[in-house]
Amino acid sequence: MNEFLDSIIKRDPAAKSKLSVILTYPGAKAVFFHRIANFFAIAKFNLVARIISQFSRFLTGIEIHPNAKIGKNLFIDHGMGVVIGETSEIGDNVTIYHMVTLGGISPSINSDDQRNTKRHPTLMDNVVVGSGAQILGPVVVGKNAKIGANAVVTKDVDENSVMVGIPAKNVGEDSTLDENFKPYGITQDSDKN
């Protein structure tokens, strides 16, 4: 828990203390409730898991399916409107801003054939997803990739890529291994280019 809270404080200059994160950050609450819902989903108590996830959605405005797989230190900043689908997989130290969808693209017809198949995205470690971005289908977003605000991603994304637009296109690479968090994949020197 300490590592999780420290990771949020490191990535958000507005986070003043661990207590403030616990009490006022909907993303932290959503991840906490997801851990409980996921426990019940793994134990095959699916109705209990869904009730917990819907209660969390009511409290936070963030919907995470109980079966989604989430690594360490997921930071959902602001959070309102975030949707994380059932077969989504999220690596470690991922940052997601508000109004992001990790969704499927399969139509709702013939749902039985779609059960137990990968329909949602996989985000590898250290990915940053800007507000309003839509990542759709069973695509893989590589390590350290940055997805710009409102981008629509429907194809796999290479490691270190910076993706923007509709449909999203790779506009560069951020391969620095700098430990300083760079929201939206930019540095202070970016405006000089």
Side-chain angles (χ1 to χ4, degrees), residues 92-128:
D92 296 340
N93 305 308
V94 169
T95 301
I96 297 176
Y97 289 89
H98 55 285
M99 301 302 291
V100 166
T101 300
L102 304 183
I105 54 171
S106 302
S108 59
I109 55 174
N110 203 7
S111 292
D112 284 336
D113 286 346
Q114 298 173 39
R115 294 188 209 292
N116 302 314
T117 62
K118 178 77 168 144
R119 304 182 319 277
H120 300 93
T122 297
L123 307 183
M124 303 305 280
D125 297 345
N126 305 309
V127 168
V128 177

Coordinates of all heavy atoms in Angstrom, one line a residue, residues 92-128:
D92 N 2.5 -2.7 -14.8 CA 2.9 -1.9 -13.6 C 3.2 -0.5 -14.0 O 3.6 -0.2 -15.1 CB 4.2 -2.5 -13.0 CG 4.1 -3.9 -12.5 OD1 2.9 -4.3 -12.2 OD2 5.1 -4.6 -12.3
N93 N 2.9 0.4 -13.0 CA 3.2 1.8 -13.1 C 2.6 2.5 -14.3 O 3.2 3.4 -14.9 CB 4.7 2.0 -13.1 CG 5.4 1.4 -11.9 OD1 5.0 1.6 -10.8 ND2 6.4 0.5 -12.2
V94 N 1.4 2.1 -14.6 CA 0.6 2.7 -15.7 C -0.2 3.9 -15.2 O -0.7 3.9 -14.0 CB -0.4 1.7 -16.3 CG1 -1.4 2.3 -17.3 CG2 0.4 0.6 -17.0
T95 N -0.3 5.0 -16.0 CA -1.1 6.2 -15.6 C -2.2 6.4 -16.7 O -1.9 6.4 -17.9 CB -0.2 7.4 -15.6 OG1 0.9 7.3 -14.6 CG2 -1.0 8.7 -15.2
I96 N -3.4 6.5 -16.2 CA -4.6 6.7 -17.0 C -5.3 8.0 -16.5 O -5.6 8.1 -15.3 CB -5.5 5.5 -17.0 CG1 -4.8 4.2 -17.5 CG2 -6.8 5.8 -17.7 CD1 -5.7 3.0 -17.4
Y97 N -5.6 8.9 -17.5 CA -6.3 10.1 -17.1 C -7.8 9.9 -17.4 O -8.2 8.8 -17.9 CB -5.8 11.3 -17.9 CG -4.4 11.7 -17.5 CD1 -3.3 11.1 -18.0 CD2 -4.3 12.6 -16.5 CE1 -2.0 11.5 -17.5 CE2 -3.0 13.0 -16.0 CZ -1.9 12.4 -16.5 OH -0.6 12.8 -16.1
H98 N -8.6 10.8 -17.0 CA -10.1 10.7 -17.1 C -10.6 10.5 -18.5 O -10.0 10.8 -19.5 CB -10.7 12.0 -16.4 CG -10.3 13.2 -17.1 ND1 -9.1 13.8 -16.8 CD2 -10.9 14.1 -17.9 CE1 -9.0 14.9 -17.5 NE2 -10.1 15.1 -18.2
M99 N -11.8 9.9 -18.5 CA -12.6 9.6 -19.8 C -11.9 8.6 -20.7 O -12.2 8.6 -21.9 CB -12.9 10.9 -20.5 CG -13.7 11.9 -19.7 SD -15.3 11.3 -19.1 CE -16.2 11.1 -20.6
V100 N -11.0 7.8 -20.2 CA -10.3 6.8 -21.0 C -11.2 5.5 -21.1 O -11.7 5.1 -20.1 CB -8.9 6.5 -20.5 CG1 -8.3 5.2 -21.1 CG2 -8.0 7.7 -20.7
T101 N -11.2 4.9 -22.2 CA -11.9 3.6 -22.4 C -10.9 2.6 -22.9 O -10.2 2.8 -23.9 CB -13.0 3.7 -23.4 OG1 -14.0 4.7 -23.0 CG2 -13.7 2.4 -23.6
L102 N -10.8 1.5 -22.1 CA -10.1 0.3 -22.6 C -11.2 -0.7 -23.0 O -11.7 -1.4 -22.1 CB -9.2 -0.3 -21.5 CG -8.1 0.6 -20.9 CD1 -7.3 -0.1 -19.9 CD2 -7.3 1.2 -22.0
G103 N -11.7 -0.6 -24.2 CA -12.9 -1.3 -24.6 C -12.7 -2.3 -25.7 O -11.7 -2.5 -26.3
G104 N -13.8 -3.0 -25.9 CA -13.8 -4.1 -27.0 C -14.4 -3.5 -28.2 O -15.0 -2.4 -28.2
I105 N -14.3 -4.2 -29.3 CA -14.9 -3.8 -30.6 C -15.9 -4.8 -31.1 O -16.5 -4.6 -32.1 CB -13.8 -3.5 -31.6 CG1 -12.9 -4.7 -31.8 CG2 -13.0 -2.3 -31.3 CD1 -12.0 -4.6 -33.0
S106 N -16.1 -5.9 -30.4 CA -17.0 -6.9 -30.9 C -18.4 -6.5 -30.7 O -18.8 -5.9 -29.7 CB -16.8 -8.2 -30.0 OG -15.4 -8.7 -30.1
P107 N -19.3 -6.7 -31.7 CA -20.7 -6.4 -31.5 C -21.3 -7.3 -30.5 O -20.8 -8.4 -30.2 CB -21.2 -6.6 -32.9 CG -20.3 -7.6 -33.6 CD -19.0 -7.4 -33.0
S108 N -22.4 -6.8 -30.0 CA -23.1 -7.6 -28.9 C -23.9 -8.8 -29.4 O -24.4 -9.6 -28.7 CB -24.0 -6.7 -28.1 OG -25.0 -6.1 -29.0
I109 N -24.0 -8.9 -30.8 CA -24.6 -10.1 -31.3 C -23.7 -11.3 -31.1 O -22.5 -11.2 -31.1 CB -25.0 -9.9 -32.8 CG1 -23.8 -9.5 -33.6 CG2 -26.1 -8.9 -33.0 CD1 -24.0 -9.5 -35.1
N110 N -24.4 -12.5 -30.9 CA -23.7 -13.7 -30.7 C -22.6 -13.7 -29.5 O -21.5 -14.0 -29.7 CB -22.9 -14.1 -32.0 CG -22.7 -15.6 -32.0 OD1 -23.1 -16.4 -31.2 ND2 -22.0 -16.1 -33.0
S111 N -23.1 -13.1 -28.4 CA -22.2 -13.0 -27.2 C -21.6 -14.3 -26.8 O -20.5 -14.3 -26.2 CB -23.0 -12.3 -26.1 OG -23.3 -11.0 -26.4
D112 N -22.3 -15.4 -26.9 CA -21.8 -16.7 -26.4 C -20.5 -17.0 -27.1 O -19.6 -17.6 -26.4 CB -22.8 -17.8 -26.6 CG -24.0 -17.8 -25.6 OD1 -23.8 -17.2 -24.5 OD2 -25.0 -18.3 -25.9
D113 N -20.3 -16.7 -28.3 CA -19.1 -17.0 -29.0 C -17.9 -16.1 -28.6 O -16.8 -16.4 -28.8 CB -19.2 -16.9 -30.5 CG -20.0 -18.0 -31.1 OD1 -20.2 -19.0 -30.4 OD2 -20.4 -17.9 -32.3
Q114 N -18.2 -15.0 -27.9 CA -17.2 -14.0 -27.5 C -16.8 -14.2 -26.0 O -15.8 -13.6 -25.6 CB -17.8 -12.6 -27.7 CG -18.1 -12.3 -29.1 CD -18.7 -10.9 -29.3 OE1 -18.4 -10.0 -28.6 NE2 -19.7 -10.9 -30.2
R115 N -17.5 -15.0 -25.3 CA -17.1 -15.3 -23.9 C -15.8 -16.0 -23.9 O -15.5 -16.8 -24.7 CB -18.2 -16.1 -23.2 CG -19.5 -15.4 -23.1 CD -20.5 -16.1 -22.2 NE -21.8 -15.9 -22.6 CZ -22.5 -14.7 -22.4 NH1 -21.9 -13.7 -22.0 NH2 -23.7 -14.6 -22.8
N116 N -15.0 -15.6 -22.9 CA -13.7 -16.3 -22.7 C -12.7 -16.0 -23.8 O -11.8 -16.9 -24.1 CB -13.8 -17.8 -22.4 CG -14.7 -18.0 -21.2 OD1 -14.6 -17.4 -20.1 ND2 -15.6 -18.9 -21.3
T117 N -12.9 -15.0 -24.6 CA -11.9 -14.6 -25.6 C -11.4 -13.2 -25.2 O -12.1 -12.4 -24.6 CB -12.5 -14.6 -27.0 OG1 -13.6 -13.6 -27.0 CG2 -13.1 -15.9 -27.4
K118 N -10.2 -12.9 -25.7 CA -9.5 -11.6 -25.4 C -10.2 -10.6 -26.3 O -10.1 -10.7 -27.5 CB -8.0 -11.8 -25.7 CG -7.3 -10.5 -25.5 CD -7.0 -10.2 -24.1 CE -6.0 -9.0 -23.9 NZ -6.3 -8.1 -22.9
R119 N -10.9 -9.6 -25.7 CA -11.6 -8.6 -26.5 C -11.1 -7.2 -26.1 O -11.5 -6.2 -26.8 CB -13.1 -8.7 -26.1 CG -13.7 -10.0 -26.4 CD -15.2 -10.0 -26.1 NE -15.7 -9.3 -24.9 CZ -15.7 -9.8 -23.7 NH1 -15.2 -11.0 -23.4 NH2 -16.1 -9.1 -22.7
H120 N -10.3 -7.0 -25.1 CA -9.9 -5.7 -24.6 C -8.4 -5.5 -24.7 O -7.6 -6.5 -24.8 CB -10.4 -5.5 -23.2 CG -11.9 -5.6 -23.1 ND1 -12.6 -6.8 -22.8 CD2 -12.9 -4.6 -23.3 CE1 -13.9 -6.6 -22.8 NE2 -14.1 -5.3 -23.1
P121 N -7.9 -4.3 -24.5 CA -6.5 -4.0 -24.7 C -5.6 -4.6 -23.5 O -6.0 -4.8 -22.4 CB -6.4 -2.5 -24.6 CG -7.8 -2.0 -24.9 CD -8.7 -3.1 -24.4
T122 N -4.3 -4.6 -23.9 CA -3.2 -4.9 -22.9 C -2.3 -3.7 -22.9 O -1.8 -3.3 -24.0 CB -2.5 -6.2 -23.3 OG1 -3.4 -7.3 -23.2 CG2 -1.3 -6.4 -22.3
L123 N -2.1 -3.1 -21.7 CA -1.2 -2.0 -21.6 C 0.0 -2.6 -20.8 O -0.1 -3.0 -19.7 CB -1.8 -0.9 -20.8 CG -3.1 -0.3 -21.3 CD1 -3.5 0.9 -20.4 CD2 -3.1 0.1 -22.7
M124 N 1.2 -2.5 -21.4 CA 2.4 -3.0 -20.8 C 2.9 -1.9 -19.7 O 2.2 -0.9 -19.5 CB 3.5 -3.2 -21.8 CG 3.1 -4.2 -22.9 SD 2.5 -5.8 -22.3 CE 4.1 -6.6 -21.9
D125 N 4.0 -2.2 -19.1 CA 4.5 -1.3 -18.0 C 4.8 0.1 -18.4 O 5.2 0.3 -19.6 CB 5.8 -1.9 -17.4 CG 5.6 -3.3 -16.8 OD1 4.5 -3.7 -16.5 OD2 6.6 -3.9 -16.5
N126 N 4.5 1.0 -17.5 CA 4.9 2.5 -17.7 C 4.2 3.2 -18.8 O 4.7 4.2 -19.3 CB 6.4 2.6 -17.9 CG 7.2 2.0 -16.7 OD1 6.9 2.2 -15.6 ND2 8.1 1.1 -17.1
V127 N 3.0 2.7 -19.2 CA 2.3 3.4 -20.3 C 1.5 4.6 -19.7 O 1.1 4.5 -18.5 CB 1.3 2.4 -20.9 CG1 0.2 3.1 -21.8 CG2 2.0 1.3 -21.7
V128 N 1.4 5.7 -20.4 CA 0.6 6.8 -20.0 C -0.5 7.0 -21.1 O -0.2 7.1 -22.3 CB 1.5 8.1 -20.0 CG1 0.6 9.3 -19.6 CG2 2.6 8.0 -19.0

